[in-house]
Amino acid sequence: MTLKTPEEYLESIKKQKYNLYLFGEKIDNWYDHPIIAPTINPVMKTYELAQDPQYQEIMTSISHLTGERINRFTSVHRSNEDLIKKVKMQRLLGQHTGCCFQRCVGMDAINAVFSTSYEIDAKYGTKYHQNLLSWLKRIQSEDLTVDGAMTDPKGDRSKRPSEQTDPDLYLHIVEEKKNGIIVRGAKIHQTGFLNSHEVLVMPTMAMRETEKQYSVCFAIDTATKGITCIYGRQPCDTRKLEECLCDRGNPNYCGQEVFVIFEDVFIPKDRIFMKGEYDFTSPLVERFAGYHRQSYGGCKVGVGDVLIGATALIAEYNGVEKAPLIRDKLVEMVHLNETIYSCGIACSYEGHKTPAGNYEIDLLLANVCKQNVTRFPYEIARLSEDITGGILATLPSEKDLNNETVGPLLKKYLKTHEGINVEDRFKLIRFLENMTMGTAAVSYKSESMHGAGSPQAQRIMIARQANLEAKKALIKKILDIK
Ligand code: SF4
Ligand code: FE
C-alpha cells in the first residue's frame, strides 16, 4: 500500500500512545480531546486530496526509490517542476483548510537531510545516506506523516550550546552505545508532532568543532519511550470546549504546536543520519530553512485566499462590495498575497540539482519569499479587519444568538440587506475574528513571523547571498571605472 486513505491514516495515528500533558493533566485518548481533535482534520486532508484523480499530479509523485506512486509529502524533489508542484500543493491545501496542515515540515526535513547525508558520506565514508534511504522507503510505502524538528530552547542566547549552565538546553548525545546513541534535550514549537508517525530531528544551528555532541540528526517514532509532549496553547483555544460551533471560528480545522522533551531517548544506529560531523550542520540548517521558507510561499497564500474570500464575502454581506475604496483594498490584499506566491514559485523555478540528485530551491529567493511572509499576512489581516468593521471585536456569543429573549433582538440588529442570512453573517464574522486574532491567527500571523526562522534569520541569509561585489562590478563596468 502506498497511498493511505484518510480513514486509514486516522486509524494508524490513533495507535500512537504519547506521554502528553495539556492544562497540567496527562491526556490519554489525545485524538478525542476537543482541543486536539480539529488539528487532525487538516492532516487527513493531505491524504484525502491525494486520492482525488483531479489532484493526482499535484498531490502525488512517483518515488525514485520504489517506482510507486506516493504522496508528495513523502517525496524527494527530483526536478524544478517538483519544486513548483510542491508550492502549488501547499496553496491548494491552504485553500481547503484555512489553517496549517502540518505535514510540510517533514517533507522539507527529508529533502534537506537527503542531500546533506549524501555529502557527509562522500567526505567521511559514513553510511548515513543509506540509513536515510532505508527509512524513507518505509515512510513512502506506508504513507507516513513525518514531523521535522529543528528548534531547541537555546537558554542564554549570548552563550554557545556548550557554554550553557544546563547542557540540555540544546539537544545532544549523552551516551554512545554499540547499537546506537542516547539523546537528551528538547525541541519546541513542534508543528503537528502528535499527528505525525515519525520525527526527523536536526541540529538547531551551525555547530563548531567543540560541539560534536550537538551535531546530531536522526529519525524515530514520535511515541518512543522517553519522549514527553506538552501541548501548546493558542488564543481562544478553550472556545473549543464550548458547544457552540460558530464561536470557534474555523470549527473543523486547526494547527497544532507541541513542546517536546527528549529524556534519554535511545536512537538505533540505523536511524542516525549525522553524528558529530559539525561541519555539515550549517548546510543542513540552511537547506531545511530554505525549503520551509519556500513552503510558506504556498501554504500562507492558500490560507490568504480563504481570508480574502471571507473578506470579499463580508463586504458583500455588509452591502459595500461595490464601493471603490473597498474594491481597492481587496485588490491590495490580492496583490500582497500573489507577491508571496510569486516568490514561492520563483525560488522553485530557479532551483538547482544537488550532487545527491535531488533539487534545491534558490536560497536567496526562498529567503526573500519568507521575509515577505513576515510582513504581508499582517497587512492582509489589517485590511480584512478594516473591511469587516468593529463587529469583529464585539460580536456576542452564538448562545446569545440562539437565546429566546435576546436572540431575536440580535437577529434584528445584525440584519444588513435582504437575502443575507444573519446566521451566515455571524458565522463569517467569527471566522474572520479567528483568522485575524483567534486560534487561526497563530498560524496565519505568528507562524508567518517566527516559523521557518524569524525575520532576522532571513536577512542574514539575504546578506550572505546578495553578492554585492558582483553588483558593484556592474556599475564599474558601465561607468568604465577601473
Ligand atoms: Fe506547512 Fe505552512 Fe504549516 Fe509550515 S506553516 S507546516 S509550511 S502548512
Ligand atoms: Fe511552521
Side-chain angles (χ1 to χ4, degrees):
M1 179 216 19
T2 53
L3 287 176
K4 270 188 169 60
T5 63
E7 294 73 26
E8 285 166 341
Y9 160 72
L10 185 63
E11 208 179 297
S12 69
I13 205 68
K14 280 181 170 180
K15 291 194 184 124
Q16 296 296 93
K17 300 261 175 276
Y18 299 116
N19 183 31
L20 168 70
Y21 287 80
L22 169 57
F23 295 143
E25 278 174 24
K26 192 162 178 337
I27 309 290
D28 288 326
N29 292 339
W30 61 275
Y31 41 82
D32 281 336
H33 194 287
I35 290 194
I36 305 173
T39 71
I40 304 173
N41 296 334
V43 186
M44 283 179 76
K45 200 49 104 179
T46 69
Y47 288 88
E48 185 194 315
L49 297 190
Q51 302 273 334
D52 189 332
Q54 68 168 313
Y55 298 128
Q56 193 191 62
E57 269 301 297
I58 287 200
M59 291 298 306
T60 67
S61 71
I62 302 297
S63 166
H64 77 291
L65 299 174
T66 63
E68 291 182 326
R69 187 165 290 282
I70 53 166
N71 193 298
R72 190 172 293 282
F73 279 103
T74 66
S75 73
V76 171
H77 315 308
R78 304 286 296 171
S79 62
N80 290 90
E81 204 189 334
D82 275 347
L83 291 173
I84 292 167
K85 282 183 182 163
K86 171 196 163 185
V87 177
K88 292 192 172 181
M89 167 177 79
Q90 288 163 318
R91 183 169 188 169
L92 179 75
L93 277 154
Q95 291 173 336
H96 277 259
T97 61
C99 76
C100 166
F101 36 89
Q102 308 149 43
R103 209 176 167 186
C104 331
V105 204
M107 166 177 55
D108 292 339
I110 288 168
N111 278 276
V113 178
F114 186 89
S115 54
T116 311
S117 59
Y118 178 91
E119 288 164 28
I120 301 177
D121 288 359
K123 183 169 175 187
Y124 293 110
T126 42
K127 295 271 175 291
Y128 299 133
H129 195 63
Q130 203 45 56
N131 288 351
L132 180 81
L133 296 187
S134 316
W135 171 79
L136 186 56
K137 273 185 201 159
R138 187 172 69 83
I139 299 298
Q140 292 185 340
S141 61
E142 294 180 24
D143 199 3
L144 301 180
T145 289
V146 178
D147 171 55
M150 181 162 273
T151 311
D152 288 8
K154 300 195 198 82
D156 181 345
R157 305 295 204 276
S158 68
K159 296 196 165 85
R160 297 287 309 174
S162 52
E163 295 162 1
Q164 301 286 332
T165 20
D166 181 354
D168 302 342
L169 288 167
Y170 284 80
L171 188 133
H172 61 128
I173 303 169
V174 287
E175 197 186 330
E176 291 215 25
K177 294 186 174 265
K178 238 192 181 150
N179 53 349
I181 52 171
I182 309 270
V183 298
R184 194 187 298 156
K187 290 289 178 185
I188 59 175
H189 322 313
Q190 286 313 296
T191 304
F193 188 88
L194 306 176
N195 301 334
S196 306
H197 305 92
E198 291 267 327
V199 56
L200 177 44
V201 174
M202 299 160 284
T204 198
M205 61 182 209
M207 298 294 171
R208 296 178 184 167
E209 198 174 349
T210 51
E211 294 157 348
K212 285 187 179 167
Q213 70 273 35
Y214 297 94
S215 309
V216 62
C217 174
F218 57 85
I220 40 156
D221 189 306
T222 44
T224 302
K225 191 167 162 269
I227 296 180
T228 296
C229 303
I230 308 170
Y231 203 79
R233 291 211 61 182
Q234 296 180 344
C236 315
D237 51 3
T238 44
R239 284 203 199 176
K240 293 189 214 158
L241 303 174
E242 302 168 11
E243 75 245 38
C244 298
L245 278 185
C246 277
D247 283 352
R248 297 181 203 169
N250 187 352
N252 297 325
Y253 300 105
C254 187
Q256 172 192 97
E257 301 295 336
V258 186
F259 200 121
V260 184
I261 299 157
F262 293 73
E263 288 175 294
D264 295 350
V265 178
F266 174 71
I267 315 297
K269 217 172 177 177
D270 62 349
R271 293 300 203 88
I272 301 171
F273 314 133
M274 169 191 283
K275 182 171 70 71
E277 294 80 9
Y278 69 93
D279 46 333
F280 282 92
T281 50
S282 172
L284 177 54
V285 172
E286 276 178 18
R287 282 169 199 172
F288 170 74
Y291 281 125
H292 208 51
R293 286 167 195 172
Q294 170 208 25
S295 288
Y296 279 30
C299 82
K300 301 300 177 208
V301 183
V303 176
D305 286 329
V306 177
L307 180 57
I308 294 168
T311 311
L313 192 60
I314 201 71
E316 194 183 308
Y317 283 10
N318 291 350
V320 294
E321 81 274 22
K322 293 204 177 81
L325 79 145
I326 297 290
R327 292 172 76 110
D328 192 56
K329 282 173 186 172
L330 285 166
V331 167
E332 178 63 10
M333 291 168 83
V334 172
H335 158 72
L336 293 166
N337 205 38
E338 298 301 335
T339 303
I340 298 174
Y341 185 58
S342 310
C343 293
I345 292 294
C347 71
S348 312
Y349 187 79
E350 290 286 315
H352 60 272
K353 196 173 182 178
T354 75
N358 64 332
Y359 270 66
E360 196 173 289
I361 61 293
D362 180 278
L363 273 183
L364 174 60
L365 295 180
N367 278 280
V368 170
C369 175
K370 174 68 212 312
Q371 182 78 177
N372 285 339
V373 172
T374 64
R375 300 173 181 170
F376 295 175
Y378 286 81
E379 184 60 13
I380 294 172
R382 189 184 73 81
L383 289 163
S384 173
E385 287 189 49
D386 178 357
I387 293 173
T388 307
I391 194 76
L392 187 73
T394 60
L395 192 69
S397 159
E398 189 188 354
K399 279 196 172 161
D400 297 314
L401 192 71
N402 296 329
N403 179 282
E404 267 179 31
T405 318
V406 292
L409 290 172
L410 275 178
K411 284 178 188 148
K412 172 179 157 74
Y413 289 106
L414 285 174
K415 182 106 193 128
T416 52
H417 51 99
E418 280 321 306
I420 303 299
N421 185 324
V422 170
E423 278 86 355
D424 288 343
R425 183 169 177 241
F426 185 95
K427 202 190 274 186
L428 193 56
I429 295 168
R430 270 287 178 257
F431 179 87
L432 286 156
E433 177 211 21
N434 185 250
M435 189 81 119
T436 52
M437 54 182 85
T439 42
V442 171
S443 80
Y444 191 57
K445 295 203 294 192
S446 312
E447 197 176 36
S448 290
M449 179 65 80
H450 296 292
S454 307
Q456 201 55 27
Q458 290 106 61
R459 300 188 82 79
I460 292 167
M461 283 302 293
I462 291 171
R464 245 184 242 168
Q465 307 277 326
N467 201 355
L468 290 181
E469 288 311 314
K471 295 190 200 313
K472 281 196 252 172
L474 294 176
I475 185 61
K476 281 186 183 168
K477 196 168 174 210
I478 290 171
L479 298 182
D480 199 20
I481 297 173
K482 296 282 180 276

